[in-house]
Amino acid sequence: MNKTLHALLFAFIALGSTALFAQSSALSVEKIMQDPKWMGTFPDRINWGPQSKTIYFNYNPEENPSDSLYKIEVSNLDKIQKVSLAERKAMTSPYGTWNQDKTIKLYSEDGALHLYDLKKDTSKELVNLGGRLGNPTFLADEAQIAFEYDDNAYVLNTETGTLKKLTNIQEGKAREDREEKLSEKNQWLKDENLSLLQIVREREEQDSLSKAYREMTADPEPYTFYHGDKQVAGLQVSPKADFVTIMLMERDRGESTDVPNYVDASGYTKNLRARSKVGEDKTVASLAVYNIKKDTVYSVDTSKLPGITDLPDYTKDYPDKEWEEKEREVIVSQAIFSEDGSKAIVNIRSKDNKDRWIALLNLDNGSLETLDRQRDEAWIAGPGIGWSFGGGTLGWLPDNKHIYFQSETSGYSHLYLLDVTTRTKKALTEGNYEVFDPVLSNDKKSWFLTTSEIGPGERHFYKMPVMGGTMQKLTNLPGNNEVSLSPDEKYMAIRNSFSNKPWELYFKKTGSSKDAQQLTSGQSEAFQSYDWRVAENIMFKADDGAMVPARLYVPEASVKNNAAVVFVHGAGYLQNAHKWWSSYFREYMFNNMLTDLGYTVIDIDYRASAGYGRDWRTGIYRHMGGKDLSDQVDGVEYLIENYDIDPEKVGIYGGSYGGFITLMALFNEPETFKAGAALRSVTDWAHYNHGYTANILNEPSQDPIAYKRSSPIYFAEGLEGDLLIEHGMVDTNVHFQDVVRLTQRLIELGKDNWELAVYPVESHGFIEPSSWTDEYKRILKLFNESLLEK
């Protein structure tokens, strides 16, 4: 074969192979919306063995539906091993409570209480009462262990084997409270009967004498605390076992909504029980203290909390309504005792979520002394702040006089210390960034914590002196670093991801200056065959002067079609314009596909998104569809001015909260958005749940202004562009009722430029690849036809 022919043939083969590669790596809706297993297998649920020798994680490259636990030994980091069933059964639970010197771990498993000895590397069963044992803790004398069983507190002495029941808590009412008092009418009838009938009167007197004799000669009964109709939600034994705090709950979620399931296997329509609507939460939580020495129980008194009767500012918008200044309902969390048991603190939240108090609990009488009050006219939240029933960062230092907690007082969630003896508060961290998951080191001399100090789009792990000072940065991989410390704190198992790289597992010695060692490489060949974009992280100026973060996808000049698509992430309080692998990975891949087709795509962390502090988080208070929508409009203006986008070719799409914003965009900004796809979207906030909605919009009956200006159904007459609505029919989060009501509204308004696609087997988060594929094929068709007239 001559050289010329050989060269031509080689060129042809090379061209053909390139074409084949391009074809295999090209994106399609069918490809990116198939079962995510096609992308590869990626580690999660990282934890360490108690000896700090083994990293365990879920991985599953074999695609086994149930057996997915793998391990890597520190002594052989190059080898990933599957954990056998026998080894799995013999493993010590990763959960539990360590004693002070971290040599003994206490944990409950399969209804029994177990003790793990680190030096011997063995576990033994301590007690099994045939039911669930909860909240096991070491007492100050670590030979004694407290736990909760059947709504009562017990103490087990591990040296003598003796088991003592500390409390006698029972449901219902005490006998004297159970005796019904006669009405005035019935008491008159009884008195008349006794006065008229001698035998009846004599028998009544004899019964009374017999009862009095029995009570006088009977052995004294142990003190019993009756919790009536309330439920015992938790018990906490003090370190010296001299007090037990009892958390009580009255649960009433109000009237639930039924969601019809039209494709039940029975062939009949079955109702799925779903949540109630906003304004229906009547849950009451309280705390009581059992003083063992006094053998009595008293309730924790919240009536004297500062500002307990304060009215929220929004009441000023209703001058014609008479607002009563009364003691607000609160939820008191479980007590947290100092290590020596001499003091206890509680976290208290007002049910309107505008106040959080941290208070010192007087164990002798149940009174409270406020240590810190955080007030927010919007709502209390943010990293490490916790929720209604506690949680978040809150505890004692070993000196038994300093408490630590997180607060948004500065506008960002930071870590604080407070001296309960002097009431002096000190910020351990400060700046325009947030702190996540601070924990004390084993020796209690340092903090380990994650922060966004480098920038809101990155997360790194640090070590800091316990009383504050210079933070030592322990991670250096770009993106997000989720660190799991070994129990001895010598090693870090790091789950890291970047914008275009899903999560992988890395290993690094704590404090080492060397680069972390990558342990897993889970991407499939099919996934690697496409050059996934690193979206550009930008900031643009909003109309009110705020700098808005976003991710930007810019097409090659050769394919650019001068059309733009805005993607709106869901969940409201969530961050997506960051530098790590998005939880919206399907949308990330779809945005890559749109960019391949010539669309310019922008993904905005609008007002209400996480990661940017208190003011950003609460920017939608009392007006959802206000600044969060104007941020989308300003993002489009930025694209028009800087990327040559045709104003007549702009679309928008998103799911859940993103679907809500899409509806508001099509209804209120028709001159900006020519087409939109609203997926599983809220159409009327008065029909959503209480926990989320009442924070942002208060309650419909109390603040109707907020609901009317925030609900798309009130603005449907503004629809001019092309609207695609897509919703699962068995959605138990945002109910299908939402789009049914909106559909009727659009019909009554005579709108004809919209369509509804329903998915009979899908709830809020779609599961079936066929549903995802159908959903996004329709979205792509909408944009191609409406924006490009294809």
Side-chain angles (χ1 to χ4, degrees):
M1 184 181 296
N2 63 48
K3 292 182 179 180
T4 303
L5 183 59
H6 185 274
L8 287 171
L9 181 60
F10 180 82
F12 176 78
I13 293 172
L15 181 62
S17 64
T18 302
L20 286 171
F21 178 82
Q23 184 178 8
S24 66
S25 63
L27 297 182
S28 66
V29 173
E30 289 80 3
K31 180 176 182 177
I32 61 181
M33 297 299 164
Q34 64 182 300
D35 190 315
K37 291 177 182 177
W38 80 272
M39 298 161 55
T41 183
F42 308 105
D44 65 356
R45 298 186 184 179
I46 317 299
N47 64 78
W48 284 85
Q51 295 287 326
S52 300
K53 296 178 180 179
T54 310
I55 306 170
Y56 294 98
F57 56 100
N58 282 7
Y59 198 47
N60 202 15
E62 298 174 0
E63 299 184 7
N64 190 305
S66 59
D67 188 11
S68 60
L69 186 63
Y70 284 73
K71 68 178 182 180
I72 296 176
E73 303 288 351
V74 172
S75 60
N76 188 3
L77 293 171
D78 296 325
K79 186 177 181 181
I80 300 175
Q81 305 174 64
K82 188 172 184 177
V83 178
S84 68
L85 182 59
E87 182 182 356
R88 194 169 189 169
K89 288 182 177 180
M91 284 173 57
T92 301
S93 171
Y95 309 105
T97 304
W98 289 94
N99 63 353
Q100 288 296 323
D101 61 6
K102 305 289 183 180
T103 57
I104 303 291
K105 185 168 77 169
L106 177 66
Y107 64 96
S108 60
E109 191 172 72
D110 299 328
L113 203 59
H114 300 261
L115 207 60
Y116 171 78
D117 189 310
L118 182 68
K119 294 178 181 178
K120 297 178 181 178
D121 193 22
T122 57
S123 290
K124 66 177 181 179
E125 183 179 296
L126 294 178
V127 63
N128 191 334
L129 299 179
R132 179 184 174 275
L133 303 178
N135 196 26
T137 54
F138 287 100
L139 297 183
D141 173 4
E142 292 186 344
Q144 296 191 88
I145 291 167
F147 63 89
E148 179 184 340
Y149 173 71
D150 195 24
D151 289 347
N152 275 282
Y154 292 77
V155 170
L156 173 70
N157 189 310
T158 59
E159 293 179 349
T160 64
T162 56
L163 182 64
K164 180 181 180 181
K165 186 179 180 183
L166 287 185
T167 60
N168 188 26
I169 301 173
Q170 296 183 22
E171 63 181 351
K173 299 178 180 179
R175 183 169 53 196
E176 57 270 21
D177 294 329
R178 291 196 300 266
E179 294 177 356
E180 293 185 9
K181 293 183 179 180
L182 295 177
S183 65
E184 184 178 355
K185 172 179 71 72
N186 289 341
Q187 186 65 54
W188 186 91
L189 290 173
K190 180 179 179 179
D191 293 343
E192 183 195 34
N193 211 31
L194 293 174
S195 66
L196 291 174
L197 305 175
Q198 180 179 346
I199 297 299
V200 174
R201 183 170 62 254
E202 291 175 352
R203 290 178 179 177
E204 179 78 3
E205 292 171 353
Q206 185 61 44
D207 286 345
S208 298
L209 290 171
S210 298
K211 180 180 178 182
Y213 178 77
R214 288 195 302 270
E215 291 177 351
M216 182 179 63
T217 58
D219 293 331
E221 293 185 2
Y223 176 79
T224 302
F225 174 66
Y226 293 92
H227 56 81
D229 296 330
K230 300 176 182 178
Q231 297 175 335
V232 177
L235 301 172
Q236 186 69 45
V237 180
S238 67
K240 294 181 180 179
D242 47 357
F243 297 96
V244 180
T245 54
I246 309 164
M247 189 174 181
L248 300 169
M249 300 282 293
E250 294 178 74
R251 300 184 186 275
D252 183 356
R253 297 294 185 186
E255 182 180 357
S256 296
T257 304
D258 289 332
V259 173
N261 178 9
Y262 294 99
V263 289
D264 187 79
S266 67
Y268 290 86
T269 299
K270 300 285 187 178
N271 283 333
L272 303 176
R273 184 174 173 81
R275 57 166 175 77
S276 55
K277 299 182 189 293
V278 58
E280 287 278 2
D281 186 8
K282 301 177 179 65
T283 299
V284 177
S286 58
L287 192 68
V289 179
Y290 174 40
N291 187 319
I292 294 176
K293 291 178 182 178
K294 294 181 179 179
D295 201 23
T296 190
V297 171
Y298 30 80
S299 298
V300 173
D301 180 16
T302 61
S303 64
K304 296 180 177 61
L305 289 170
I308 190 65
T309 62
D310 287 359
L311 288 171
D313 283 355
Y314 77 80
T315 57
K316 298 172 184 175
D317 284 354
Y318 301 93
D320 296 334
K321 182 174 180 178
E322 187 173 332
W323 296 90
E324 179 186 357
E325 287 195 7
K326 60 182 180 179
E327 184 181 331
R328 285 178 289 158
E329 290 186 70
V330 298
I331 292 176
V332 187
S333 68
Q334 190 52 271
I336 301 173
F337 289 94
S338 58
E339 287 185 7
D340 64 3
S342 64
K343 306 177 189 70
I345 53 173
V346 290
N347 180 77
I348 307 143
R349 297 286 279 263
S350 60
K351 281 193 69 176
D352 64 12
N353 215 8
K354 299 189 186 302
D355 274 287
R356 181 201 68 177
W357 298 269
I358 298 172
L360 197 63
L361 172 62
N362 187 324
L363 294 165
D364 288 322
N365 58 26
S367 63
L368 296 172
E369 184 179 349
T370 300
L371 299 174
D372 184 79
R373 178 192 180 193
Q374 184 182 334
R375 170 76 175 183
D376 197 317
E377 283 298 336
W379 73 98
I380 302 286
I385 309 298
W387 302 97
S388 297
F389 300 102
T393 301
L394 181 61
W396 290 88
L397 292 188
D399 62 7
N400 298 299
K401 72 173 187 176
H402 283 95
I403 64 168
Y404 58 85
F405 57 94
Q406 281 183 252
S407 172
E408 278 190 326
T409 300
S410 69
Y412 290 82
S413 182
H414 282 289
L415 181 62
Y416 291 82
L417 288 184
L418 189 147
D419 188 326
V420 301
T421 60
T422 65
R423 303 300 187 266
T424 304
K425 186 166 77 169
K426 175 185 178 182
L428 299 185
T429 59
E430 54 187 346
N432 294 344
Y433 64 90
E434 296 191 310
V435 169
F436 308 88
D437 305 318
V439 293
L440 285 168
S441 60
N442 289 342
D443 61 10
K444 307 296 178 71
K445 295 180 180 179
S446 303
W447 293 99
F448 289 105
L449 65 162
T450 299
T451 85
S452 57
E453 185 178 15
I454 293 294
E458 287 201 55
R459 302 276 173 87
H460 284 281
F461 194 63
Y462 296 82
K463 187 176 183 180
M464 179 180 68
V466 71
M467 300 305 290
T470 302
M471 291 195 297
Q472 178 189 3
K473 186 165 168 283
L474 301 177
T475 54
N476 51 25
L477 294 167
N480 192 351
N481 296 275
E482 297 179 355
V483 175
S484 177
L485 271 176
S486 61
D488 62 9
E489 298 176 351
K490 292 180 179 179
Y491 310 116
M492 300 186 298
I494 307 169
R495 202 172 80 110
N496 172 271
S497 72
F498 191 61
S499 301
N500 64 341
K501 296 176 182 177
W503 299 95
E504 300 289 4
L505 184 61
Y506 293 78
F507 172 85
K508 191 174 185 287
K509 288 185 177 180
T510 307
S512 171
S513 59
K514 293 182 179 180
D515 290 340
Q517 179 179 344
Q518 186 170 343
L519 304 182
T520 62
S521 298
Q523 295 181 27
S524 67
E525 289 185 14
F527 185 80
Q528 292 181 37
S529 69
Y530 179 83
D531 187 15
W532 299 100
R533 289 172 176 81
V534 177
E536 182 183 357
N537 287 85
I538 64 164
M539 301 281 282
F540 64 85
K541 183 178 284 189
D543 187 57
D544 63 357
M547 297 304 296
V548 183
R551 270 182 168 184
L552 184 63
Y553 302 77
V554 181
E556 297 292 333
S558 60
V559 298
K560 184 176 180 181
N561 56 27
N562 299 105
V565 170
V566 178
F567 167 64
V568 189
H569 70 69
Y573 189 62
L574 179 144
Q575 186 178 6
N576 205 49
H578 47 58
K579 295 181 181 179
W580 62 87
W581 186 247
S582 175
S583 57
Y584 286 90
F585 62 90
R586 290 184 179 90
E587 290 77 6
Y588 165 76
M589 293 188 286
F590 186 66
N591 291 341
N592 271 265
M593 179 181 162
L594 288 173
T595 310
D596 286 346
L597 297 174
Y599 291 93
T600 300
V601 181
I602 191 168
D603 171 5
I604 300 170
D605 270 347
Y606 50 88
R607 245 64 73 93
S609 296
Y612 308 98
R614 181 266 170 197
D615 290 347
W616 206 262
R617 173 179 66 79
T618 62
I620 57 169
Y621 178 58
R622 298 191 68 216
H623 192 182
M624 300 157 92
K627 289 182 178 180
D628 46 355
L629 174 58
S630 65
D631 285 344
Q632 318 296 331
V633 175
D634 293 336
V636 173
E637 289 298 318
Y638 170 81
L639 295 182
I640 292 170
E641 293 174 7
N642 295 278
Y643 290 89
D644 196 26
I645 296 301
D646 185 340
E648 299 299 318
K649 295 182 178 181
V650 179
I652 185 170
Y653 83 101
S656 195
Y657 198 96
F660 152 72
I661 287 292
T662 297
L663 290 175
M664 292 295 268
L666 269 287
F667 296 165
N668 290 316
E669 299 289 343
E671 67 283 358
T672 302
F673 300 100
K674 307 307 173 187
L679 326 175
R680 42 199 171 274
S681 45
V682 175
T683 67
D684 187 343
W685 287 108
H687 289 257
Y688 196 53
N689 69 28
H690 184 87
Y692 179 84
T693 320
N695 280 341
I696 304 171
L697 301 180
N698 304 307
E699 293 188 18
S701 62
Q702 303 297 308
D703 195 1
I705 292 173
Y707 281 81
K708 288 185 178 179
R709 66 185 174 200
S710 299
S711 298
I713 199 167
Y714 290 101
F715 303 99
E717 66 274 8
L719 177 63
E720 295 179 13
D722 296 322
L723 171 62
L724 169 64
I725 304 170
E726 299 181 302
H727 212 108
M729 294 182 72
V730 287
D731 191 335
T732 54
N733 181 12
V734 179
H735 301 158
F736 187 60
Q737 180 191 27
D738 268 55
V739 293
V740 171
R741 294 177 68 244
L742 179 61
T743 294
Q744 181 59 29
R745 180 92 174 106
L746 292 171
I747 291 170
E748 292 176 4
L749 289 168
K751 301 292 182 179
D752 55 11
N753 50 336
W754 60 278
E755 62 179 37
L756 171 64
V758 300
Y759 298 87
V761 300
E762 298 294 355
S763 186
H764 196 61
F766 282 20
I767 296 174
E768 300 302 326
S770 57
S771 300
W772 281 104
T773 300
D774 182 88
E775 183 179 42
Y776 276 81
K777 283 173 69 175
R778 293 176 185 273
I779 297 171
L780 181 59
K781 180 182 178 185
L782 170 74
F783 291 151
N784 284 341
E785 291 182 352
S786 297
L787 305 182
L788 304 182
E789 298 182 355
K790 287 187 177 181

